[in-house]
Amino acid sequence: MAIITFAAIYIGSYEVSLKIFELSGKKKIREIDHIRTRLELGRDTFHSGSIGYDLVDQLCDTLMDFTRIMQGYKVKEYRAFAGNVVGEASNRFFMIDQIRTRTGLAVQTLSNSERRFLTYKGVAAKDGFDRMISESAAFIDVGGGSLQITLFINGSVVTTQHLAIGTMRLMEMLSDIEHNVRNLEKQLEELVDKELAVFRAQYMRAGEEVKNVILMGAYITEIMGKLKKSGEMANVVEAEKFVGFLQKLDNKTVEEISEALNLSNEKDMLVLPSVILYVKLTQAMHAHTIWFPDVDTSDGIVYDYAHTHKIVRPAHDFDEDILSAAKNMSMRYMSYSQHIDALTEMSSLLFDAIKKEHGMGKRERLLLKVAAILHDCGKYISLANSAICACQVIRATEIIGLTQIEREIVASVVLYHSTPLDPYEDLADRMDLQSYIVVSKLAAILKVANAMDRSHRQKFKNVKAVIKNKQLVITIESMDDITLEKGRLAAKAGDFERIFGLKPVIREKRVYL
């Protein structure tokens, strides 16, 4: 293939960036330019809930400069995204329209989970990532509005947690405190330490340590540069040395810290909460090693584009991360069992058997498996209202790799596999029509699959499913009485037959000892 010049634009809380890449036929991504403009949009969003016209005007001017740079590089493809700083602003629609009108750029807003996953993709594409998570690791992405921690044990995702303690949000909360680290630290202890203590108590055993911390955030490059001068390997430092270096900045003013890190802006107030956050995060994880992958959201944007267009091969199994997170979540709510494994297998089998009828793809199959894994987690809260509780738990839980709308689809499938499906008009504020159709199809499949193991005793073996004469014939082998399962299937098959035009029936092969 010919070389593609690609541009990634990201509008963040305190910075707007443009990266230019070359994508080659040798399946390589090469960065050729990086332009960053300081623009503290988050100060308005986190303080007043909207972004003032002057800042919108500056943003449009900056993006107009970016378009001229892109033209100079003869960029063929681009993607432009904005994070929560725009997504949370009350005037976001006006902003997006102004940008399109004045610059011609189509900017999409990203939810927290979408933005974090793009960044995660960029990090996972780096050499050494799988080695870092192979034992225990925490991937910590510190932004202006929040930070997110994804915990890995033995290479598998345990949980992803979103904490609203980003550097700019903290600075806004503590704007009246004298500007040096020592005065801020006491206040930050109350805001940060409690959150991290809860995280450790909930997701890490007493005394457990995270061997590696993969850390992303502002000023990391400058800190890394200072530590490299001390003889450390590129991008990797001992946690003790990392913390020791930052603690030397204690009781210094903004100007003194800026000078120590060679920052261009000598009055950059965000350096204060950043320094303190990095120290406390490292200490809370009891980390041995800190790795700075030296990537940002723009790297994730280009990787996602290249992967989607089959320019590069997947660097990591992201689907397995999703399933691992779902299984750990199920275990946390004491719902993981042999029934969950059986239901996941059965629902996948039914999905595959009627591919032509439902017209869905691999992604929807993955969402069905996640719904099967999580369908019982609400019983931890209420046996009588388990489906409603499970739905609420899923909506409130970050699952790295799933977008916000995909999480809503999974939550709705779990709800409606055991309750009547509401009309689309009642759900239009949560999802578009296509997502609603996906929910209705997946819920019908999960409902039939669950009826097949209603007793939770896994009575079936060698299950096969084929379509014959407008029927989905499910052939099973069993040594047990399956009267209950046959009755529940007949009672639960209505939605399945209405949606797919197929009546599910059981054909039994008796097995005798």
Side-chain angles (χ1 to χ4, degrees), residues 371-415:
I373 293 169
L374 296 176
H375 83 288
D376 265 351
C377 67
K379 290 181 178 177
Y380 183 86
I381 301 170
S382 170
L383 293 175
N385 300 295
S386 62
I388 294 173
C389 292
C391 177
Q392 293 171 340
V393 165
I394 295 165
R395 282 174 177 161
T397 305
E398 290 278 352
I399 301 176
I400 193 163
L402 293 187
T403 65
Q404 191 167 330
I405 185 60
E406 286 176 333
R407 205 163 72 233
E408 178 62 37
I409 288 172
V410 170
S412 298
V413 170
V414 168
L415 175 63

Side-chain angles (χ1 to χ4, degrees), residues 75-141:
V75 167
K76 294 182 180 179
E77 295 283 347
Y78 80 92
R79 296 290 183 273
F81 293 105
N84 274 1
V85 67
V86 173
E88 292 182 10
S90 59
N91 59 333
R92 60 189 176 279
F93 299 118
F94 161 77
M95 288 182 61
I96 298 298
D97 181 69
Q98 280 286 295
I99 292 169
R100 181 188 58 79
T101 301
R102 292 175 56 178
T103 71
L105 293 172
V107 175
Q108 302 176 55
T109 57
L110 297 172
S111 66
N112 174 71
S113 55
E114 290 168 334
R115 203 282 288 175
R116 303 286 184 176
F117 187 49
L118 277 177
T119 307
Y120 176 58
K121 279 188 170 183
V123 174
K126 299 285 285 186
D127 292 338
F129 175 77
D130 286 333
R131 177 178 57 81
M132 279 286 174
I133 67 170
S134 61
E135 296 177 286
S136 61
F139 171 52
I140 306 178
D141 183 5

